[in-house]
Amino acid sequence: MQLYRDQKLKIYNSLNGQKEVFEPINEGHVGMYVCGPTVYNYVHLGNCRTFISFDLVFRYLRHLGYKVRYVRNITDAGHLENDADEGEDRIAKKARLEQIEPMEVVQRYTVDFHNTLNRFNNLPPSIEPTATGHIIEQIDIIKEILDKGFAYEINGSVYFDVIKFNKTTRYGKLSGRNIEDLIHNTRELDGQSDKKSPQDFALWKKAEPQHIMRWPSPWSDGFPGWHLECTAMSTKYLGEKFDIHGGGMDLKFPHHECEIAQAEACNGHSPVNYWMHANMLTLNGKKMAKSTGNNILPNEIFTGDNTILSKPFAPAVVRFFILQAHYRSVLDFSNDALLASEKGFNRLMEAIHFLDELQASQETRGFDTAGWKQKCYDAMNDDFNSPVLIAHLFEAVKFVNQVREGKAGISAADLTLLKEAIHAFTFDVLGLVDTSASGEGDTDKLPGVVELLIRLRAEARANKDFATSDRIRDELAVMGIQLKDGKEGTTFSVS
């Protein structure tokens, strides 16, 4: 069904700060690129929010009947510490610290990334290219930018000439930054860099002797700049101009700004029509950071193995919590907020269960089903406004509960319409999962069951029944539950 013909979708375009009617380059088709993770550590919750936000976009575009090519990359090389042009590659540093191969690091954390997003019920992208798989394409783009005169090579490294580029078109159009202000606010390099200007960024870096990840190029054995990979992969799979480019708000500058500059220098025109940015996630009102301990990983939420939350929460509940805020707003993660979301999620699922078993009556009283359905579309058409959509879903929940209590009725035609619409918006568009059907909802019962087994094991050990003690430990381990004996007693974790 080509619902997009009847629905006027508007997208907030970060490029001009306005909502614009979405008009794809090719009717019925959408090309969307989203910056993926740098796979050097476990995916953190803030990143998950970004990927859940764009999963919502992907799902709704498909629901409207668009054929979507969704490209999301894996950064497995070239991303230096602190997003700089100097320093150590994040993946190589992790490999050195753990004394393993860089590609072992990549594999380990790519698997974690996929497993985590699967738990959140994210759909896989259409294409998931890697930076290391597109070195040739990146070298070709560098050659093109050099030929156009917007880059320079020095001592085996190649840098993009921001000042020269800014004379032909504005550098800073996405982030709203002014090149003169950038120059004024940047300290002198005191000869510590080969760059002509501090604003210039690396397209290719010559590898130092100790640098593990390196490839041959016309300029040196080295590695591509972080910004370049997204330009190479997005244009390869979506063309020199495509519809939507997304990512976290933190990538707007310098990463996305550099992408625009590279593409314009190479192809002579803007690469993307609609730029979308998801906002940050805070924890108990403060920025998430490992250094301060104000941080929590997705798996720690699912298992309850943390000091921040009072209990485990199912992935579907966490996804519901994230979608209760608009993707462009800051969202604060807390125990109280998750408990409230869990109650709301359970109310929604209970109403859907009742609705699925409901028998029609003579007429619908007090509820305009067709009008309600269009209000749901209107919410999503307004820059994917999931919190307003969820509010409309709870209008339907209120009506369903009135039917349940005998205070309202619903006709056969409206019952069919309501069932189809609430299922479509809850499961297909929002991507929620019925935890009672999937078994995810049992997570809050797990700690009590395991604590009971820990007590029984302790009694067995006290009675010197080590066979029973070992059997409890070993069978829990088979189920992915690890017991840890310590000075203060036995704890457990779920893998």
Side-chain angles (χ1 to χ4, degrees):
M1 291 179 63
Q2 296 176 334
L3 293 172
Y4 60 82
R5 295 182 184 277
D6 303 317
Q7 304 296 333
K8 185 180 286 188
L9 171 63
K10 288 188 175 182
I11 296 177
Y12 181 88
N13 193 345
S14 298
L15 200 57
N16 57 25
Q18 296 178 352
K19 292 178 186 176
E20 299 179 344
V21 175
F22 178 62
E23 296 179 356
I25 295 168
N26 298 304
E27 185 182 347
H29 294 74
V30 178
M32 180 170 78
Y33 185 91
V34 173
C35 293
T38 302
V39 283
Y40 71 104
N41 213 329
Y42 295 111
V43 63
H44 64 75
L45 199 59
N47 274 351
C48 289
R49 185 201 181 182
T50 295
F51 300 128
I52 289 170
S53 297
F54 286 103
D55 184 61
L56 175 75
V57 173
F58 182 36
R59 285 173 175 274
Y60 188 59
L61 290 171
R62 295 204 331 171
H63 174 78
L64 290 179
Y66 287 110
K67 185 176 181 180
V68 186
R69 176 176 287 179
Y70 174 19
V71 182
R72 187 186 66 212
N73 72 298
I74 294 287
T75 295
D76 57 353
H79 195 169
L80 303 187
E81 295 177 275
N82 302 317
D83 302 341
D85 283 333
E86 308 295 333
E88 193 169 6
D89 186 291
R90 291 180 175 184
I91 292 163
K93 180 179 179 180
K94 188 80 169 182
R96 178 174 55 78
L97 292 173
E98 298 192 11
Q99 295 185 316
I100 58 177
E101 283 288 327
M103 284 302 122
E104 287 184 71
V105 174
V106 167
Q107 179 69 10
R108 177 185 302 170
Y109 296 114
T110 300
V111 169
D112 167 73
F113 173 66
H114 288 152
N115 287 343
T116 301
L117 291 195
N118 285 341
R119 297 290 300 277
F120 280 124
N121 199 34
N122 274 28
L123 297 173
S126 315
I127 303 173
E128 192 173 52
T130 64
T132 56
H134 295 76
I135 299 295
I136 293 172
E137 289 85 351
Q138 293 177 76
I139 289 173
D140 286 344
I141 289 177
I142 296 171
K143 289 178 181 176
E144 186 75 19
I145 296 174
L146 280 166
D147 289 345
K148 297 284 180 67
F150 292 112
Y152 56 92
E153 184 266 332
I154 187 165
N155 294 331
S157 293
V158 182
Y159 295 97
F160 188 92
D161 194 331
V162 170
I163 304 298
K164 188 172 183 180
F165 173 78
N166 192 62
K167 292 177 182 177
T168 61
T169 184
R170 184 188 170 198
Y171 177 82
K173 64 183 73 174
L174 179 66
S175 59
R177 304 193 184 204
N178 185 293
I179 190 70
E180 286 77 18
D181 293 339
L182 288 172
I183 295 170
H184 179 73
N185 293 326
T186 305
R187 63 177 175 80
E188 290 296 322
L189 293 176
D190 297 326
Q192 295 177 11
S193 172
D194 293 329
K195 295 193 287 187
K196 292 180 181 178
S197 167
Q199 282 68 44
D200 296 349
F201 56 89
L203 298 175
W204 186 266
K205 285 291 291 180
K206 180 181 179 180
E208 297 298 325
Q210 70 274 15
H211 200 96
I212 306 171
M213 304 178 78
R214 58 173 66 215
W215 293 265
S217 81
W219 313 285
S220 66
D221 276 6
F223 53 95
W226 170 42
H227 311 305
L228 187 65
E229 65 178 90
C230 288
T231 298
M233 290 184 277
S234 62
T235 54
K236 176 168 183 175
Y237 298 110
L238 298 174
E240 291 182 3
K241 194 172 189 68
F242 55 95
D243 298 299
I244 298 171
H245 193 313
M249 194 77 76
D250 58 318
L251 297 180
K252 187 183 286 188
F253 187 90
H255 186 52
H256 290 161
E257 201 72 76
C258 294
E259 278 191 62
I260 291 174
Q262 289 166 162
E264 290 191 357
C266 194
N267 303 317
H269 57 76
S270 180
V272 179
N273 282 346
Y274 303 87
W275 284 89
M276 298 179 66
H277 292 92
N279 216 324
M280 65 185 293
L281 191 66
T282 58
L283 177 57
N284 292 324
K286 298 178 183 177
K287 184 179 179 180
M288 285 193 181
K290 290 180 185 176
S291 57
T292 62
N294 196 52
N295 184 61
I296 189 168
L297 293 172
N299 199 52
E300 294 171 341
I301 302 169
F302 308 153
T303 64
D305 186 16
N306 63 81
T307 59
I308 295 170
L309 303 176
S310 60
K311 60 188 284 297
F313 291 91
V317 170
V318 182
R319 183 183 178 100
F320 181 67
F321 160 75
I322 287 172
L323 294 176
Q324 282 183 292
H326 191 268
Y327 76 89
R328 285 191 289 112
S329 65
V330 175
L331 174 60
D332 188 52
F333 184 92
S334 69
N335 187 68
D336 289 345
L338 273 181
L339 287 171
S341 286
E342 186 176 57
K343 287 182 181 178
F345 176 83
N346 289 337
R347 276 182 57 216
L348 176 60
M349 293 302 151
E350 287 170 9
I352 291 174
H353 290 166
F354 175 76
L355 187 64
D356 289 343
E357 299 169 3
L358 186 61
Q359 299 297 314
S361 57
Q362 292 295 318
E363 59 179 347
T364 302
R365 301 194 303 274
F367 192 77
D368 177 7
T369 308
W372 168 83
K373 179 181 176 181
Q374 186 55 49
K375 285 199 299 182
C376 291
Y377 277 112
D378 292 343
M380 288 301 294
N381 291 338
D382 183 18
D383 193 32
F384 310 96
N385 203 322
S386 57
V388 173
L389 169 61
I390 289 170
H392 292 324
L393 290 177
F394 278 103
E395 290 176 17
V397 168
K398 183 179 179 181
F399 171 69
V400 169
N401 287 335
Q402 288 174 344
V403 174
R404 196 174 189 174
E405 296 163 4
K407 298 177 181 178
I410 186 167
S411 67
D414 278 348
L415 178 59
T416 299
L417 182 63
L418 185 57
K419 281 182 180 179
E420 289 177 352
I422 205 166
H423 274 263
F425 284 109
T426 301
F427 302 120
D428 298 341
V429 174
L430 291 178
L432 300 177
V433 174
D434 184 352
T435 55
S436 63
S438 67
E440 292 277 16
D442 297 334
T443 53
D444 57 344
K445 299 173 185 176
L446 180 64
V449 173
V450 177
E451 290 296 341
L452 173 61
L453 290 169
I454 287 174
R455 288 197 297 273
L456 292 174
R457 178 171 174 262
E459 289 175 12
R461 293 173 78 182
N463 294 329
K464 297 187 177 181
D465 183 2
F466 298 113
T468 299
S469 168
D470 291 347
R471 183 180 175 191
I472 291 172
R473 179 199 62 207
D474 295 343
E475 292 199 12
L476 284 174
V478 170
M479 292 185 282
I481 301 169
Q482 308 295 327
L483 299 186
K484 300 174 186 176
D485 296 318
K487 293 180 180 178
E488 298 179 1
T490 302
T491 59
F492 75 95
S493 61
V494 182
S495 59

